[in-house]
Amino acid sequence: MRLEAITWQRLTESLADHLAAARPADGGPWLRVGVDGAPAAGTGESAARLGEALRARGRPSLVVGTEGFLRPASLRFEHGREDADAYYGEWVDTGALWREVFTPLEPGGTGRVLPDLWDPVTDRATRSGYVGLPPGGVLLLHGPLLLGHWFPFDFVIHLSLSPGALARRTEQDRRWTLPAFARYEDEVGPREAADVMVRADDPRHPAWSGLDR
């Protein structure tokens, strides 16, 4: 895949220009964007920058992270605290994401999205209130392993790390998750499946696939 060097600022501006003019595939009033990548890739920061740039262009945006939709510890750790297969397929409450995030943004939906449901630190419900996303707004859902769940994204950005960079930048106590990301590459192929791929091995010097691949 041919990649072009780019700065984070120019990347954000280019993506914001593209998304500000984009329309949902289902004809509804809300655009749904995924920012996919391992925690070490910084998807939350990228989604936040993109949200700010979209708001500056008159498109309301709501940033939601999958870490707010983890299952309770009793379910996540049913097979142990360091089970890569459980991390791959059982940590995130995909049903709750469908119910509380995607369904309200379907055509005819309410536009009222729950930004988070579960606090993994306290292992309790967050009790957050619903947030209304106005028509014309953009959902930016970020987190790892987003593809392969049939989430109705209109556009996906994948922040890619080579196996070596992923191992170097993953905290020691989280390296047990690395086999899950290797499996994700093999089974889902996020670099090819995403609309835009950003190579983030060196956080100071990203490169991207561009918008016309």
Side-chain angles (χ1 to χ4, degrees), residues 14-25 27-33 54 57 59 136-138 154-155 211:
S14 296
L15 288 171
D17 286 341
H18 177 79
L19 294 173
R23 294 294 177 264
W30 297 285
L31 194 71
R32 297 145 303 187
V33 176
L54 283 165
R57 288 161 172 76
R59 292 292 296 266
V138 181
D154 297 295
F155 194 87
L211 289 163

Side-chain angles (χ1 to χ4, degrees), residues 70-77 81 117-126:
L70 297 184
R71 298 181 189 276
S74 60
L75 298 177
R76 297 200 312 275
F77 303 143
R81 289 181 172 270
L117 180 65
W118 198 260
D119 185 335
V121 176
T122 63
D123 201 36
R124 295 176 181 271
T126 59

Side-chain angles (χ1 to χ4, degrees), residues 147-181:
L147 298 171
H149 300 291
W150 302 103
F151 290 147
F153 291 122
D154 297 295
F155 194 87
V156 176
I157 304 149
H158 174 65
L159 303 186
S160 175
L161 295 173
S162 67
L166 178 60
R168 288 193 304 273
R169 292 172 56 185
T170 298
E171 296 179 4
Q172 184 66 38
D173 63 352
R174 302 286 287 179
R175 289 190 176 179
W176 61 268
T177 64
L178 296 179
F181 292 103

Side-chain angles (χ1 to χ4, degrees), residues 24-135:
D26 62 8
W30 297 285
L31 194 71
R32 297 145 303 187
V33 176
V35 184
D36 176 63
T43 58
E45 293 88 344
S46 292
R49 287 194 299 263
L50 187 52
E52 291 177 6
L54 283 165
R55 287 189 286 272
R57 288 161 172 76
R59 292 292 296 266
S61 64
L62 177 63
V63 177
V64 175
T66 58
E67 73 273 7
F69 287 86
L70 297 184
R71 298 181 189 276
S74 60
L75 298 177
R76 297 200 312 275
F77 303 143
E78 184 177 3
H79 304 291
R81 289 181 172 270
E82 298 185 356
D83 187 291
D85 288 333
Y87 179 77
Y88 182 85
E90 299 174 20
W91 271 42
V92 174
D93 189 342
T94 56
L97 278 171
W98 275 100
R99 183 178 67 250
E100 305 292 358
V101 177
F102 288 111
T103 297
L105 302 182
E106 292 177 349
T110 64
R112 296 177 68 249
V113 173
L114 191 65
D116 52 61
L117 180 65
W118 198 260
D119 185 335
V121 176
T122 63
D123 201 36
R124 295 176 181 271
T126 59
R127 301 187 184 279
S128 296
Y130 286 87
V131 176
L133 187 60

Side-chain angles (χ1 to χ4, degrees), residues 173-194:
D173 63 352
R174 302 286 287 179
R175 289 190 176 179
W176 61 268
T177 64
L178 296 179
F181 292 103
R183 178 180 170 187
Y184 187 54
E185 290 288 341
D186 289 341
E187 295 185 0
V188 178
R191 287 178 290 178
E192 293 76 24

Side-chain angles (χ1 to χ4, degrees), residues 1-8 10-12 15 34-38 41-43 46 49-50 155-162 169 185 190-192 194-203 205-211 213:
M1 182 183 300
R2 185 180 181 88
L3 299 179
E4 174 192 355
I6 195 170
T7 64
W8 287 111
R10 189 160 65 89
L11 173 68
T12 300
L15 288 171
V35 184
D36 176 63
T43 58
S46 292
R49 287 194 299 263
L50 187 52
F155 194 87
V156 176
I157 304 149
H158 174 65
L159 303 186
S160 175
L161 295 173
S162 67
R169 292 172 56 185
E185 290 288 341
R191 287 178 290 178
E192 293 76 24
D195 297 283
V196 163
M197 192 275 275
V198 180
R199 175 59 61 80
D201 285 4
D202 183 343
H205 303 291
W208 76 322
S209 61
L211 289 163
R213 66 174 183 149

